[in-house]
């Protein structure tokens, strides 16, 4: 008798298919039911809707993931300058992302070209936007040095395209970061079908452009509400819905991307000082179980600036000043391969995969400078410089968006205008009692001077009587810095008034920011990640650049942890 051997196989495949469908049905049922109420979620008949589940945050262009953790912030080497402004203290930093390299001339020129196209400097309304964002190329000049070649060529010549941008002050660096956020999210929305393809280059104008926060708060205010550009995204029906018994067609909800969609990235920004120091030190490379094997003097292991590896033994690991009159070494065999700055990625990366965290150019960070880090108040994501704002609501009860008639500028101490709120952005105002009343974690909008610079922190303040009048005069304030005054008359002429007082006692005020890392102009001492210096936020140099960071949302780690054998 002949037996068909294929029948059992067919039966097994059928059973597997049935069981698979049953398990999928169970899974989909559990996922579509609320664990809180038992109601159906994402039902076609209405009710609560939830966004698509994303495993991990996407890594933005140019960024490297930095897993957070605890570290010893501050100097553990000799403080030969006797600044005592970064004594060792234990801090914890959340996971975040940081630019692999410093922002280059090419990256910054992309920003300038976009501004020139969208806000033509030939038009009266926009003439200060492009100029205000342009780096100061005169930072290369020296009274007794010939540096005109860099003055004329460093920013725009293709030979310097991948060199770090300089001549950018702190305010300009912040505005670049905001611009970058919008351009990246604009591309993300286009990729996911929420914006018309190539609208970001073809349809953009001063009156109709994209801003991430405006899109989230009021999508139809971006691109002028043009429905040909603002699309419903993938998964939404392009056909009108079916009418009900009364002939009414229900309007489709949640057609635009939201925070709950999980596709928009957090903002690009300057890293905090704690983040920068943690990322630069990269102590993870010296981890043994749950401890670090000592504190690094440089972003690489070891106590020397030269490589000890056979492949490049003796090569300098960073671009810095070797000694008096020695910025690169002897011709024919250069110590660090550069006399001024150098192209990014010219030296090995640290254990986090970040380049030039020592040397090349020093870098702006977000923090306002104070000599002491107040670890008694906070040891988690430490940052000094919080100024909390909220969206401005107009008389019509809707959010107020900046137009080409009310572009906001910051007048720098030298009289230069830098745009800080461009058309399409939501106008911001300080938070008020509605947000601060009876709060324990913050009580004012501006927290820059908290415990160091405010009236209560002055030695003249009388806590017994709460005398608020003390600490306000120049003789009794905590940081008595010069106060230069620049006024612009109706004709646009600058009236510069210098503070010539001989009673000033410090250069520290609320407008000086920390910069980190040694530069091509610095000796090896300043390559220590723990070193910190300050500079006015509205001034630029030929040795300070910047890189961007981005906060991490969701899990701390990118990979699942596994115990070591």
């Amino acid at each position: 008798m002949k037996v068909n051997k294929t029948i059992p196989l067919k039966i097994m495949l059928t059973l597997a298919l049935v069981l698979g469908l049953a398990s999928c049905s169970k899974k989909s049922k559990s996922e579509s039911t609320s664990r809180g109420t038992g109601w159906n979620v994402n039902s076609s008949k209405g009710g609560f809707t939830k966004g698509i589940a994303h495993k991990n945050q996407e890594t933005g262009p140019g960024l490297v993931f930095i897993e957070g953790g605890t570290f010893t912030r501050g100097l553990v080497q000799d403080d030969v300058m006797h600044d005592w402004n970064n004594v060792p203290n234990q801090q914890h930093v959340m996971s975040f992302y940081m630019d692999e390299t410093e922002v280059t001339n090419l990256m910054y020129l992309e920003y300038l070209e976009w501004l020139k196209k969208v806000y033509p400097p030939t038009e009266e309304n926009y003439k200060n936007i492009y100029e205000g964002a342009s780096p100061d190329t005169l930072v290369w000049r020296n009274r007794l040095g010939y540096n005109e070649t860099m003055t004329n060529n460093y920013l725009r010549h293709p030979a310097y395209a991948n060199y770090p941008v300089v001549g950018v002050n702190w305010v300009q660096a912040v505005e670049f970061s905001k611009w970058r956020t919008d351009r990246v999210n604009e591309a993300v929305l286009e990729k996911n079908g929420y914006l018309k393809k190539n609208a970001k280059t073809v349809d953009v104008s001063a009156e109709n452009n994209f801003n991430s926060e405006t899109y989230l708060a009021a999508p139809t205010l971006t691109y002028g509400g043009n429905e040909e550009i603002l699309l419903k995204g993938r998964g939404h029906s392009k056909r009108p819905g079916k009418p009900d018994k009364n002939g009414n067609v229900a309007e489709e909800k949640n057609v635009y991307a939201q925070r709950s969609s999980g596709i928009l990235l957090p903002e690009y920004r300057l890293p905090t000082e704690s983040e920068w120091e943690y990322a630069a030190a990269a102590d993870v490379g010296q981890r043994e179980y749950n401890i670090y094997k000592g504190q690094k003097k440089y972003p690489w292991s070891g106590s020397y600036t030269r490589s000890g590896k056979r492949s490049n033994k003796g090569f300098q690991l960073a671009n810095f000043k070797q000694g008096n009159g020695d910025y690169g070494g002897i011709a024919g065999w250069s110590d660090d391969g550069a006399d001024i700055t150098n192209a990014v990625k010219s030296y090995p990366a640290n254990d986090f995969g970040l380049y030039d965290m020592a040397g090349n150019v020093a870098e702006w960070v977000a923090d306002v400078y104070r000599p002491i880090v107040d670890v008694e108040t906070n040891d988690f994501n430490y940052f000094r410089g919080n100024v909390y704002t909220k969206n401005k609501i107009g008389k019509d009860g809707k959010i107020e968006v900046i137009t080409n008639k009310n572009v906001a500028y910051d007048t720098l101490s030298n009289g230069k205008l830098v745009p800080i709120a461009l058309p399409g952005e939501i106008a911001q105002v300080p938070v008020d009692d509605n947000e601060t009343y009876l709060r324990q974690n913050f009580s004012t909008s501006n927290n820059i001077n908290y415990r160091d610079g405010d009236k209560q922190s002055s030695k003249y303040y009388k806590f017994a009587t709460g005398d608020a009048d003390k600490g306000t005069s120049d003789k009794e304030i905590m940081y008595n810095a010069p106060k230069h005054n620049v006024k612009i008359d109706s004709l646009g002429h600058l009236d510069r008034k210098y503070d010539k007082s001989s009673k000033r006692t410090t250069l520290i005020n609320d407008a000086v920011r920390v910069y980190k890392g040694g530069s091509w102009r610095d000796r090896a001492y300043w390559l220590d990640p723990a070193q910190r210096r300050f500079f006015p936020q509205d001034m630029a140099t030929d040795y300070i650049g910047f890189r961007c960071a981005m906060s991490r949302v969701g899990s701390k780690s990118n990979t699942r942890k596994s115990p070591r054998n």
Side-chain angles (χ1 to χ4, degrees), residues 286-512:
Q286 296 196 127
R287 177 173 177 166
E288 182 64 30
Y289 293 97
N290 205 34
I291 61 171
Y292 294 132
K293 297 182 294 183
Q295 182 90 349
K296 288 183 179 179
K297 182 178 181 179
Y298 302 113
W300 52 85
S301 297
S303 300
Y304 304 98
T305 62
R306 293 184 180 273
S307 172
K309 295 182 179 180
R310 290 191 176 187
S311 59
N312 54 2
K313 191 172 183 179
F315 286 172
Q316 291 288 2
L317 297 172
N319 174 20
F320 64 99
K321 185 176 180 178
Q322 315 292 318
N324 288 338
D326 185 0
Y327 289 85
I330 300 173
W333 195 86
S334 186
D335 283 343
D336 61 24
D339 39 25
I340 53 169
T341 57
N342 204 350
V344 297
K345 294 190 176 181
S346 295
Y347 308 93
N350 72 1
D351 289 320
F352 276 133
L354 302 173
Y355 293 87
D356 294 319
M357 296 301 284
N360 221 8
V361 292
E363 299 175 18
W364 289 114
V365 295
D367 294 59
V368 172
Y369 178 82
R370 289 293 185 268
I372 298 175
V373 176
D374 191 357
V375 294
E376 294 181 1
T377 301
N378 185 39
D379 58 3
F380 180 77
N381 282 352
Y382 188 92
F383 169 64
R384 179 178 289 280
N386 281 315
V387 179
Y388 300 118
T389 61
K390 61 181 179 179
N391 295 340
K392 184 178 180 180
I393 305 299
K395 295 180 180 179
D396 57 357
K398 299 179 181 179
I399 59 172
E400 186 173 307
V401 177
I402 301 295
T403 67
N404 56 2
K405 296 180 180 179
N406 59 348
V407 177
Y409 295 92
D410 187 7
T411 303
L412 307 185
S413 57
N414 61 3
K416 185 175 182 178
L417 296 178
V418 175
I420 56 173
L422 295 174
E425 298 180 16
I426 302 176
Q428 298 292 303
V429 294
V431 297
D432 53 26
D433 290 344
N434 292 326
E435 288 78 25
T436 62
Y437 182 63
L438 291 182
R439 281 193 178 273
Q440 298 298 313
N441 50 336
F442 72 99
S443 57
T444 61
S445 169
N446 189 327
N447 298 273
I448 289 176
N449 286 307
Y450 179 66
R451 287 170 58 95
D452 197 347
D454 53 11
K455 295 175 183 178
Q456 288 85 347
S457 58
S458 169
K459 67 178 182 180
Y460 299 102
Y461 185 78
K462 298 180 179 179
F463 285 92
T465 60
D467 190 348
D469 292 332
K470 290 291 182 181
T472 56
S473 68
D474 283 352
K475 294 180 179 180
E476 297 176 340
I477 60 176
M478 192 162 183
Y479 295 104
N480 186 13
K483 298 178 181 178
H484 305 299
N485 190 14
V486 177
K487 292 184 179 180
I488 304 177
D489 61 23
S490 58
L491 298 177
H493 299 143
L494 292 177
D495 180 17
R496 297 182 176 93
K497 293 184 178 180
Y498 295 93
D499 186 343
K500 299 181 179 179
S501 173
S502 60
K503 298 181 180 179
R504 301 304 182 190
T505 58
T506 181
L507 293 175
I508 299 173
N509 57 40
D510 293 349
V512 294

